[in-house]
Amino acid sequence: MSNSEDKDLRGKLDDEQFEVTQNAVTERAFTGKYVDHKADGTYRCVCCDTPLFSSEHKYDSGSGWPSFWLPMAGEAVRTIKDSSHGMIRFEVVCNNCDAHLGHVFEDGPQPTGLRYCINSASLDFKDET
Ligand SMILES: [Zn+2]
């Protein structure tokens, strides 16, 4: 990332949003503003405003983080193998700007069986569908 982009994001994001999206820090469980958020609308990337997840696919996983069983159609997000912290996990990033969003696990509900475990700090909810 160039210095000018870094400066732009620092102005746009608060400290937690910056740490989560740029340094892949995980927010503490049950602290995020969207954990129990149930309104209808779209969750966009807090960095670049790309629509990433829909409230239609959000569910209560009990994990303490907003959880989705499907991302928005198309190439909104992509996954990267992450072997940090002594585990093999799959990191979920914004396909447009590479912001860190969270991780995806294979213990979600049907029909996908996937749980996209996403930091609230990576998301910006918009009341629209
Ligand atoms: Zn983005």
Side-chain angles (χ1 to χ4, degrees), residues 45-50 52 94-99 101:
C45 176
V46 76
C47 298
C48 73
D49 213 32
T50 298
L52 300 177
C94 172
N95 204 17
N96 183 51
C97 76
D98 295 331
L101 305 173

Side-chain angles (χ1 to χ4, degrees), residues 32-69:
K33 60 184 172 180
Y34 297 134
V35 175
D36 295 317
H37 195 248
K38 293 195 168 59
D40 289 338
T42 302
Y43 295 85
R44 292 170 174 267
C45 176
V46 76
C47 298
C48 73
D49 213 32
T50 298
L52 300 177
F53 295 95
S54 165
S55 57
E56 279 180 63
H57 307 133
K58 191 173 189 295
Y59 76 102
D60 185 5
S61 68
S63 68
W65 291 279
S67 300
F68 303 86
W69 51 269

Side-chain angles (χ1 to χ4, degrees), residues 77-106:
V77 304
R78 72 173 189 280
T79 54
I80 300 169
K81 194 171 178 180
D82 171 11
S83 50
S84 65
H85 304 290
M87 308 176 256
I88 304 290
R89 296 181 298 174
F90 287 89
E91 181 186 4
V92 183
V93 301
C94 172
N95 204 17
N96 183 51
C97 76
D98 295 331
H100 173 79
L101 305 173
H103 288 88
V104 61
F105 301 93
E106 293 181 335

